[in-house]
């Protein structure tokens, strides 16, 4: 992927499942939400897999083990094995193991996924700051994580122990809406200690490294719903990305995205893996895609035409990103997005 400033979503004459050998799929907001499969996800992934594309599930959620995630996917109708799942718990465990001696004790604030990943790297999870840990690791622990766990982390970090975080996503999608994520919990310890953790998860290099080591992907496509983790992670790793609109990112956020948050492709859902991507064509300062034409006017984005809403959004992206250059677009897009129902 070019590091030049992206000014429009790219087109593809091939189905993306044919153009790339491996889909690096985020889970929450892409494959499922609140434990239930997102519409079109199961049949789309089946067709992509049957056509020869490898499916790898890459999640910043460190709560569950790869075995548990694979079992859940299989229950949803998406056959998966533990080796198909890469978690931020695995990435942060490798990061810690590179810095502390084998067999070291690590204070865990989070769920079973972190404990399993630490043991895989020859480290011993402990529960208290008084258990003589040499490091602290924090990951998403679910809604039942006790407040006292943050106190244990704060005590240990305040003593000068190195602090690691699986990820810093401030929010996480659920079946009932958007809930606080691990990043919100990390802020609690940061406020108490004034310290800064080393972070492993998307969009940072340790997660990309872990993913490539475990999948061996040669032509990967990152598929995600978040600009600040999935899409930025693809940008940092120099690989292409597909944003799907089934999770936390809405049209206004996409149009305002700075260069590192601009995906290669945009589609409504995972059916986008199975098709080519339409080209966005520049036409005298305006941009056409499908039946839509978009342009940047006096302080706002204009949209004319009709057709598939996602085509209109692609055209708007071209107009917004071209006008913004290497900054975020500040043009009013409210009326244009309302026409698209976005």
């Amino acid at each position: 992927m070019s590091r030049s400033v992206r000014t429009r979503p790219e087109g593809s004459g091939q189905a993306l499942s044919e153009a790339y050998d491996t889909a690096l799929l985020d889970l929450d907001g892409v494959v499922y939400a609140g434990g239930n499969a997102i519409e079109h996800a199961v049949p789309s992934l089946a067709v992509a897999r049957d056509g020869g594309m490898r499916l790898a599930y890459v999640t910043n959620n460190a709560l569950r083990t790869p075995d548990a995630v694979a079992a859940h996917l299989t229950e949803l109708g998406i056959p998966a094995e533990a080796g198909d799942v890469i978690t931020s718990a695995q990435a942060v465990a490798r990061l810690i193991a590179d810095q502390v001696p084998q067999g070291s004790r690590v204070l865990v604030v989070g769920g079973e996924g972190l404990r399993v990943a630490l043991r895989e790297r020859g480290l011993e999870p402990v529960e208290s700051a008084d258990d003589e840990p040499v490091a602290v690791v924090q990951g998403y622990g679910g809604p039942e994580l006790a407040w006292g766990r943050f106190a244990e982390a704060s005590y240990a970090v305040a003593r000068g122990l190195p602090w690691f975080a699986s990820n810093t996503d401030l929010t996480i999608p659920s079946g009932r809406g958007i809930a606080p994520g691990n990043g919100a919990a990390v802020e609690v310890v940061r406020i108490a200690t004034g310290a800064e953790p080393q972070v492993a998860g998307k969009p940072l290099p340790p997660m990309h490294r872990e993913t490539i080591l475990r999948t061996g992907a040669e032509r990967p496509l990152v598929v995600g719903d978040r600009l600040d983790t999935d899409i930025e992670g693809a940008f940092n790793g120099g690989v292409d990305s597909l944003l799907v609109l089934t999770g936390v990112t809405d049209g206004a956020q996409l149009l305002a995205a700075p260069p590192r948050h601009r995906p290669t492709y945009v589609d409504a859902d995972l059916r986008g893996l199975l098709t080519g991507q339409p080209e966005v064509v520049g036409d005298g300062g305006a941009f056409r895609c499908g039946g839509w034409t978009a342009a940047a006017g006096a302080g706002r984005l204009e949209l004319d035409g009709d057709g598939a809403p996602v085509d209109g959004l692609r055209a708007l992206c071209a107009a917004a990103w071209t006008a913004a250059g290497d900054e975020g677009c500040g043009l009013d897009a409210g009326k244009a997005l309302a026409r698209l129902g976005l």
Side-chain angles (χ1 to χ4, degrees):
M1 182 182 72
S2 171
R3 286 303 189 101
S4 61
V5 175
R6 186 180 303 285
T7 57
R8 68 188 75 179
E10 291 186 12
S12 173
Q14 285 181 288
L16 298 184
S17 59
E18 298 172 358
Y20 299 90
D21 69 342
T22 306
L24 306 180
L25 294 136
D26 184 46
L27 287 171
D28 293 305
V30 175
V31 178
Y32 54 63
N36 298 315
I38 289 174
E39 188 175 10
H40 307 299
V42 174
S44 297
L45 293 175
V47 173
R49 183 182 60 248
D50 291 346
M53 187 180 218
R54 179 174 180 187
L55 306 180
Y57 303 95
V58 185
T59 177
N60 262 1
N61 191 328
L63 177 61
R64 294 189 294 171
T65 66
D67 282 316
V69 173
H72 179 207
L73 289 168
T74 301
E75 288 173 3
L76 294 177
I78 305 168
E81 299 178 354
D84 300 322
V85 179
I86 301 93
T87 73
S88 63
Q90 294 170 324
V92 78
R94 190 186 296 270
L95 186 62
I96 297 168
D98 286 344
Q99 299 181 39
V100 304
Q102 185 86 355
S104 293
R105 294 183 174 189
V106 179
L107 173 59
V108 174
V109 179
E112 185 62 15
L114 270 180
R115 294 176 177 84
V116 169
L118 289 170
R119 294 188 188 104
E120 181 184 18
R121 291 286 154 215
L123 302 170
E124 181 183 348
V126 297
E127 301 300 314
S128 170
D130 297 331
D131 289 335
E132 300 183 348
V134 302
V136 180
V137 64
Q138 192 170 355
Y140 183 65
E144 306 306 320
L145 185 67
W147 187 256
R149 304 304 302 147
F150 304 135
E152 290 299 323
S154 299
Y155 301 148
V157 172
R159 294 171 188 169
L161 269 63
W163 176 30
F164 298 83
S166 63
N167 67 297
T168 52
D169 299 30
L170 290 173
T171 61
I172 187 169
S174 76
R176 297 175 61 193
I178 302 300
N182 190 54
V186 167
E187 285 299 313
V188 173
V189 178
R190 180 185 280 119
I191 291 167
T193 64
E196 292 291 332
Q198 296 183 52
V199 183
K202 297 179 285 187
L204 296 172
M207 189 66 169
H208 184 72
R209 174 193 177 205
E210 191 73 22
T211 299
I212 298 304
L213 285 173
R214 289 179 180 267
T215 65
E218 296 181 357
R219 300 187 315 280
L221 177 69
V222 170
V223 185
D225 69 310
R226 300 185 70 107
L227 301 180
D228 60 347
T229 55
D230 305 314
I231 306 308
E232 185 175 343
F235 177 86
N236 290 340
V239 299
D240 288 346
S241 60
L242 166 66
L243 178 78
V244 292
L245 302 175
T246 49
V248 301
T249 298
D250 61 23
Q253 292 168 331
L254 178 59
L255 296 180
R260 68 185 183 279
H261 290 172
R262 295 173 187 171
T264 315
Y265 311 106
V266 179
D267 222 313
D269 52 55
L270 285 177
R271 289 177 295 180
L273 284 174
L274 309 180
T275 64
Q277 294 287 304
E279 186 178 4
V280 181
V281 179
D283 184 9
F287 297 89
R288 293 183 288 105
C289 186
W292 298 96
T293 300
R300 66 180 183 181
L301 293 172
E302 304 283 356
L303 183 68
D304 292 309
D306 196 8
V310 72
D311 285 340
L313 182 60
R314 293 179 181 117
L316 284 171
C317 284
W321 297 349
T322 298
D326 60 358
E327 299 179 357
C329 179
L331 298 173
D332 180 10
K335 185 175 180 181
L337 290 172
R339 287 198 64 187
L340 300 175
L342 298 172

